[in-house]
Amino acid sequence: MLLNELFGENARIKILEELLTYSDSFLTAEEISRMADVSSKTVYIHMNQLEEIGILEVEKKGAKRFKLNSNDERVLALGLIEANEFLRRSHKQELTFESSEVNPIAVKQYSNYEEVEALFDEVPMLEFSITTL
């Protein structure tokens, strides 16, 4: 994924990429560990640090479960980077975002133009254009 290419391969990047992939779901540390191929202990260390800085939402019913905080602008930025790269690679299109005030939304993986276009309805302050390369 793109984050590995930009920031190198490390445990936190692997964890964040899995959380981006499953952004609408709460995941246990064990699930994240298995998907990211990182030890459970390492996952807990990073999850605690990410929780402290506000990037995660935590559900504490039963086993502690985590998901990205959709109200955090850093999370939104990560999702937009991933969506842009996905479009660029799969459709040879580039997604450009401009906004004076970006309202955070749930981060999603966009697989086609209609899903990206729907983003505009969810975040009225966000303008985007798609350019075929």
Side-chain angles (χ1 to χ4, degrees):
M1 288 183 139
L2 177 65
L3 295 180
N4 273 337
E5 292 175 25
L6 289 175
F7 304 114
E9 188 169 319
N10 66 53
R12 183 170 291 193
I13 296 299
K14 289 179 178 181
I15 290 166
L16 285 170
E17 286 186 333
E18 292 305 328
L19 290 169
L20 278 169
T21 300
Y22 299 96
S23 61
D24 292 334
S25 304
F26 280 96
L27 302 171
T28 64
E30 289 74 24
E31 292 170 322
I32 297 165
S33 170
R34 182 177 31 80
M35 292 184 293
D37 195 27
V38 175
S39 75
S40 292
K41 180 179 178 179
T42 300
V43 169
Y44 277 112
I45 290 168
H46 287 287
M47 299 312 268
N48 288 332
Q49 293 170 348
L50 293 170
E51 181 182 1
E52 284 178 22
I53 62 173
I55 286 184
L56 295 179
E57 293 180 39
V58 180
E59 186 178 76
K60 297 180 181 177
K61 292 185 253 176
K64 199 172 187 182
R65 298 169 4 127
F66 309 90
K67 81 175 199 172
L68 291 173
N69 180 353
S70 61
N71 294 316
D72 189 286
E73 290 183 2
R74 296 165 294 183
V75 171
L76 177 60
L78 288 173
L80 295 177
I81 289 168
E82 285 285 339
N84 186 23
E85 183 63 9
F86 176 82
L87 285 173
R88 187 184 72 75
R89 288 182 180 184
S90 63
H91 303 302
K92 299 219 183 295
Q93 295 175 331
E94 183 175 290
L95 182 62
T96 306
F97 292 89
E98 296 176 9
S99 177
S100 58
E101 181 180 331
V102 175
N103 297 326
I105 62 162
V107 177
K108 298 177 184 172
Q109 293 291 328
Y110 301 100
S111 60
N112 60 47
Y113 177 80
E114 288 78 26
E115 289 180 7
V116 174
E117 191 174 49
L119 177 65
F120 185 75
D121 295 332
E122 294 180 39
V123 183
M125 297 298 294
L126 185 63
E127 295 180 24
F128 69 92
S129 62
I130 297 178
T131 306
T132 302
L133 302 175

